[in-house]
Amino acid sequence: MLRHYDSLVEMAKRSPVAGLLERLGMRSVLGEAVRWFLFAEERARRRTMNNDYRECRAAIETFSSSIPAGDPSKPVWMIGSMHTVWGVKLEGILSMAVRLAGMMPVAVHVARVHWIEDYHRSFRIGHGLYFEQYQGRVRQAHARNGRHDPEPRMTMAELMELSYHGVDVGRVAVSNHVYKNKFSRLDLTDRETWIALSAELDRIRHNVLAAEAMLAESPPVLGLILEKGISPFAEIFGVCIAAGIPVVQYVGSHNTNQYILKRYQFRNRHQHPFSLDEALWSATKSRAWSSDQANTLMNEFADSYHMGTWFNRRYLHQDKKIKSRQEVIGQLGLDPSKKTAVVFSHILWDATFFYGSSLFQDYETWLIETVKAACKNSALNWVIKLHPDLVWKLKYEKYSGELRDAIAIRSEIGTLPDHVQIVSPDTDINTFSFFHITDLCVTVRGTVGIEMACHGIPVLTAGTGRYSGLGFTIDSGTREEYVKRLAEAHTVPPLSHEQVQLAQRFAHTLFMRRPWPAQSFELVKRPIADVGDPLDTNITFRLNGPDSVNEASDLTQLAAWLSSDAIDFVQPA
């Protein structure tokens, strides 16, 4: 039935009625009703969410109603980028901080979805915009003006620089394509791939025009967003910052109930949210530094891994064990007389094309070229550690086939030599164990590079936008320089005391001071077996008493920051 349903959906999208429904903001409502009617699984999901909504409303309405509605002349777009229960609740909580700051939250919906609107109402978000209505207007105008000519072929470098009305449409197109084709390699020389990218660029330009129309009718003073790298959120984000309207991105921190917030403008749009703004980094370097601070940081690393809390929202420590150096060497069959380089792979389909620049066109190409270089350098043990997030991400995608990483390595390289080992995502070795055996860390821009540098382990990067160029990593300007460094990896010495201190200063501010510690609510994650359930991740509330919102230090602290012009949220020293 699902196959036939997908075909019917595609036919319906091309019908004249679809355009009318879209302009009325009703197309998604109709689709929602059809899915509920056709699929028992959808009805069961909706019942689960309805029960949770009633509990949420009972828990939050009293607190939410105690906050002023906010100044209508200071609207803040709550750009909805997660159709998940926990994501919608988090938007609601942030909207209360917006109101405490004297501003008025406005929900920006991709389309009309009733259950999301229900949750929003419980948080007293009374105003909403529906992006699909503006998309409908643009498509109608486009139909009158005729289709654009096919895009001329471009290189990846050209796509990364392609913009439209100040929006990075090339980066958005590649991010969309890679995300939609998770299990296929990006090949810009393939005709079908380029046809798909060309159509993607056409849709993205329409979205830019739609976002501009929405902005012209209801301009905000600020935006809040979770995901800014995938359509149509990327276009809404891009149009806002191109127009000089700042947008705050909020993402999860290393601790489950903490969040990183960064205010974006046009100038810093390619900076990773989990980074330090130039002004904050300068202030960090000028502050006094003590051995107590260094010990606090290193204990935070060790304790978090041992307690299983380090980025555990991603099931990072599920069934993992911290093992000794000897145990890891024995399990992986490493030569104890050699140094060991560990390549920390990325999720191949991650849409990180907005984070600075990369030496290779995507993570898959980087992985293949890195493994090729490793095969040629037998002076070290090489460990290719595939990303542990793949365990739950593939479960969420309902994919049980061979890993794309393994397929790519086998098809491009073949059988690996004995000095190169692949560690699968489901290994029982906790990531912390790799600090005991690693003499060189290789990554594009992964968080592990920060941790390794703090332990005195040299880090070879293949991308910018996060922590490269700050004095504690080995960065390459070209692919050739990077590959040459891999060939000489066995000669790289440990970091100097000064470099380790730089890394620790950076990490201390990033991990200890930058997170916003939520106290009014708690993120609750079910076991990995429940991935796919609408409540596999949820939020519970800690507020008690009608005046507790105004007394909540986390919400008032966030409200004060939202009212400022600071780039990075940071806790006072």
Side-chain angles (χ1 to χ4, degrees):
M1 181 182 289
L2 184 59
R3 184 178 70 254
H4 297 307
Y5 171 75
D6 290 340
S7 300
L8 287 171
V9 167
E10 288 305 312
M11 289 175 60
K13 284 180 179 179
R14 294 191 292 269
S15 72
V17 177
L20 175 61
L21 291 173
E22 186 175 48
R23 292 191 298 278
L24 294 173
M26 295 296 295
R27 193 175 77 176
S28 297
V29 174
L30 182 60
E32 196 179 354
V34 170
R35 286 192 300 273
W36 184 90
F37 179 77
L38 289 179
F39 302 113
E41 181 182 359
E42 183 65 22
R43 292 192 291 275
R45 286 177 61 85
R46 203 67 56 81
R47 283 193 295 271
T48 299
M49 290 190 290
N50 284 342
N51 290 337
D52 181 81
Y53 160 68
R54 285 191 288 269
E55 292 179 9
C56 173
R57 183 180 62 188
I60 205 67
E61 272 190 326
T62 300
F63 311 117
S64 185
S65 61
S66 68
I67 309 173
D71 187 345
S73 70
K74 297 178 180 178
V76 174
W77 280 4
M78 311 295 300
I79 305 169
S81 49
M82 286 289 282
H83 279 200
T84 61
V85 170
W86 75 267
V88 173
K89 285 182 178 178
L90 183 54
E91 285 173 8
I93 291 162
L94 295 176
S95 76
M96 293 196 294
V98 167
R99 288 158 60 196
L100 286 171
M103 298 179 280
M104 184 184 74
V106 176
V108 176
H109 304 275
V110 173
R112 189 180 292 274
V113 180
H114 282 145
W115 70 264
I116 293 178
E117 293 177 313
D118 289 341
Y119 275 101
H120 278 173
R121 277 192 293 271
S122 69
F123 286 95
R124 294 294 193 270
I125 304 177
H127 301 271
L129 298 169
Y130 300 94
F131 189 63
E132 79 170 352
Q133 292 180 330
Y134 298 91
Q135 287 176 308
R137 296 179 198 174
V138 169
R139 288 198 182 100
Q140 186 179 34
H142 178 71
R144 288 196 300 265
N145 296 333
R147 294 189 60 80
H148 295 145
D149 293 330
E151 297 287 339
R153 284 184 181 265
M154 291 178 239
T155 64
M156 179 61 79
E158 290 170 332
L159 278 169
M160 293 297 100
E161 295 301 318
L162 183 65
S163 67
Y164 178 70
H165 293 196
V167 179
D168 295 312
V169 294
R171 295 181 186 236
V172 180
V174 178
S175 294
N176 288 350
H177 182 83
V178 170
Y179 187 77
K180 290 175 182 176
N181 298 274
K182 295 180 177 68
F183 307 112
S184 302
R185 188 176 183 187
L186 177 64
D187 182 2
L188 294 180
T189 66
D190 176 67
R191 180 175 178 274
E192 294 302 317
T193 296
W194 190 252
I195 289 173
L197 277 170
S198 184
E200 200 70 66
L201 283 167
D202 199 30
R203 285 189 290 269
I204 291 165
R205 289 192 181 98
H206 294 165
N207 284 345
V208 168
L209 295 175
E212 288 175 337
M214 188 167 67
L215 189 69
E217 287 190 8
S218 306
V221 296
L222 180 69
L224 266 71
I225 195 168
L226 177 63
E227 173 57 65
K228 68 181 182 68
I230 297 291
S231 287
F233 318 111
E235 293 92 320
I236 299 173
F237 168 83
V239 164
C240 283
I241 61 171
I245 297 166
V247 179
V248 170
Q249 184 178 21
Y250 53 95
V251 297
S253 179
H254 60 292
N255 285 328
T256 299
N257 219 42
Q258 295 182 352
Y259 297 84
I260 293 287
L261 299 106
K262 184 182 285 287
R263 192 184 314 266
Y264 282 96
Q265 299 162 337
F266 192 79
R267 70 168 179 83
N268 71 335
R269 68 193 188 282
H270 294 156
Q271 204 172 23
H272 197 288
F274 219 103
S275 63
L276 305 186
D277 183 63
E278 289 179 10
L280 180 56
W281 176 230
S282 295
T284 295
K285 288 188 292 183
S286 66
R287 293 179 63 83
W289 181 250
S290 68
S291 57
D292 285 345
Q293 290 171 300
N295 291 335
T296 298
L297 173 70
M298 301 310 287
N299 288 336
E300 171 78 1
F301 287 150
D303 293 346
S304 296
Y305 274 105
H306 279 87
M307 292 187 295
T309 57
W310 188 259
F311 284 104
N312 198 41
R313 69 183 188 278
R314 303 174 180 172
Y315 303 102
L316 200 64
H317 308 287
Q318 185 86 16
D319 301 324
K320 309 291 185 184
K321 301 174 185 175
I322 294 179
K323 302 188 178 187
S324 69
R325 172 182 171 83
Q326 292 72 24
E327 288 175 313
V328 177
I329 287 175
Q331 183 170 337
L332 300 183
L334 305 180
D335 184 342
S337 67
K338 294 180 180 179
K339 290 183 176 181
T340 298
V342 180
V343 179
F344 289 88
S345 186
H346 297 255
I347 301 295
L348 298 189
W349 64 80
D350 266 359
T352 58
F353 299 98
F354 294 89
Y355 302 150
S357 60
S358 299
L359 296 180
F360 298 91
Q361 75 165 21
D362 55 23
Y363 285 143
E364 184 166 346
T365 305
W366 164 77
L367 178 63
I368 290 169
E369 295 306 314
T370 300
V371 176
K372 283 181 180 178
C375 291
K376 295 176 183 177
N377 186 352
S378 59
L380 301 95
N381 300 305
W382 289 86
V383 175
I384 316 300
K385 187 177 182 300
L386 302 188
H387 206 293
D389 274 9
L390 283 168
V391 174
W392 74 265
K393 282 182 179 282
L394 293 177
K395 182 176 177 61
Y396 186 83
E397 296 290 338
K398 298 184 170 131
Y399 179 82
S400 58
E402 186 179 8
L403 291 178
R404 178 176 146 195
D405 315 58
I407 295 172
I409 292 171
R410 186 182 66 249
S411 61
E412 293 289 331
I413 301 171
T415 303
L416 298 178
D418 291 341
H419 68 278
V420 181
Q421 303 291 328
I422 294 180
V423 176
S424 66
D426 58 356
T427 179
D428 68 340
I429 306 174
N430 186 293
T431 299
F432 191 72
S433 305
F434 285 88
F435 291 100
H436 304 320
I437 68 160
T438 304
D439 297 288
L440 177 69
C441 166
V442 184
T443 180
V444 177
R445 57 175 65 85
T447 305
V448 71
I450 306 169
E451 301 171 64
M452 286 285 178
C454 289
H455 284 80
I457 299 165
V459 178
L460 184 59
T461 69
T464 67
R466 193 167 189 184
Y467 52 81
S468 62
L470 301 183
F472 56 85
T473 56
I474 304 170
D475 310 311
S476 302
T478 65
R479 298 178 190 180
E480 293 73 21
E481 185 180 9
Y482 171 77
V483 172
K484 184 174 184 293
R485 286 198 160 112
L486 292 175
E488 301 168 351
H490 53 288
T491 66
V492 177
L495 296 186
S496 67
H497 172 74
E498 291 74 21
Q499 289 175 308
V500 173
Q501 190 180 99
L502 265 181
Q504 291 178 345
R505 284 171 172 265
F506 178 88
H508 187 273
T509 298
L510 183 65
F511 294 119
M512 309 296 289
R513 296 185 59 211
R514 273 218 61 203
W516 171 59
Q519 298 161 340
S520 302
F521 63 95
E522 182 177 7
L523 193 73
V524 179
K525 206 166 188 68
R526 290 185 181 178
I528 194 170
D530 292 335
V531 166
D533 185 279
L535 303 180
D536 57 8
T537 303
N538 204 351
I539 282 177
T540 59
F541 304 102
R542 294 174 172 171
L543 299 167
N544 48 42
D547 298 324
S548 58
V549 169
N550 294 295
E551 298 169 357
S553 61
D554 56 339
L555 294 180
T556 54
Q557 188 180 44
L558 178 56
W561 181 79
L562 290 172
S563 300
S564 74
D565 58 1
I567 299 298
D568 291 336
F569 177 90
V570 59
Q571 294 279 354

